[in-house]
Amino acid sequence: MKANHIKLAIAGLVLLFSSSVNAGGYTNDLSRCLVESSTAADKMDLVKWMFTAMALHPAVKSMSNVTAQQRDKSNKDIADLFVKLLTETCKEPAAKAIKYEGQPALNTSFSILGQVAAKELFANPNVAAGLAGLDKHLDKNKLNKALGINNNKTGQ
């Protein structure tokens, strides 16, 4: 299996964390404002917040040592960020999105911000190398056969 196929599969896994987004014009404006107004540090804070919440799931809880204090700090940091974005930085697009497209506009816009933050996280060389470790465990011949992928050089 070619490296590009692996990368596409991993990208697909990343997309599982996000919901399908079908946004209207005002939601798009708000999403753009949230993404453009958030610093790299804000986006990493958002990823940390998501991680601290996910670490509570019984399937992964034993793999993390996130403390209640760390989770509380992360909750506070993101609450402060959300308030700042919605009441100062992106106040006008937020008000219009809510007025014309309703509450789902906020959900969609923050989902897009989360996707952008996750994309930046996964672009980190250490994270990418960790994800690439999947490749050594894949039965490429079995996958290629099941998917009808021909690996010979002539493409036949």
Side-chain angles (χ1 to χ4, degrees):
M1 184 176 274
K2 294 182 178 181
N4 287 340
H5 292 290
I6 299 291
K7 289 178 185 172
L8 288 174
I10 291 169
L13 289 173
V14 171
L15 292 176
L16 288 175
F17 290 111
S18 61
S19 60
S20 176
V21 176
N22 191 8
Y26 293 100
T27 300
N28 287 338
D29 290 344
L30 176 56
S31 300
R32 187 176 309 105
C33 183
L34 295 176
V35 170
E36 291 176 355
S37 300
S38 298
T39 66
D42 292 337
K43 291 172 190 152
M44 285 305 103
D45 284 345
L46 184 57
V47 169
K48 289 178 194 176
W49 174 71
M50 290 186 284
F51 178 82
T52 64
M54 287 186 282
L56 290 170
H57 192 283
V60 296
K61 190 172 185 173
S62 66
M63 300 172 73
S64 170
N65 61 357
V66 175
T67 67
Q69 293 80 15
Q70 289 170 319
R71 188 172 296 105
D72 190 58
K73 181 185 181 323
S74 188
N75 282 331
K76 182 187 180 323
D77 291 346
I78 295 308
D80 290 347
L81 175 63
F82 284 7
V83 169
K84 176 184 168 199
L85 289 171
L86 293 175
T87 66
E88 297 172 26
T89 315
C90 299
K91 181 179 178 178
E92 185 178 327
K96 287 181 180 179
I98 292 293
K99 179 178 180 181
Y100 297 113
E101 295 173 355
Q103 179 65 36
L106 288 180
N107 298 339
T108 299
S109 296
F110 278 102
S111 177
I112 290 170
L113 177 58
Q115 290 173 37
V116 169
K119 182 179 176 184
E120 290 180 14
L121 175 84
F122 284 100
N124 177 278
N126 296 328
V127 175
L131 292 172
L134 172 71
D135 187 50
K136 72 179 180 181
H137 298 288
L138 290 175
D139 184 338
K140 295 171 187 104
N141 291 328
K142 187 174 183 178
L143 287 169
N144 287 340
K145 184 176 179 183
L147 299 173
I149 297 171
N150 190 345
N151 275 345
N152 69 30
K153 303 252 190 241
T154 62
Q156 298 174 352

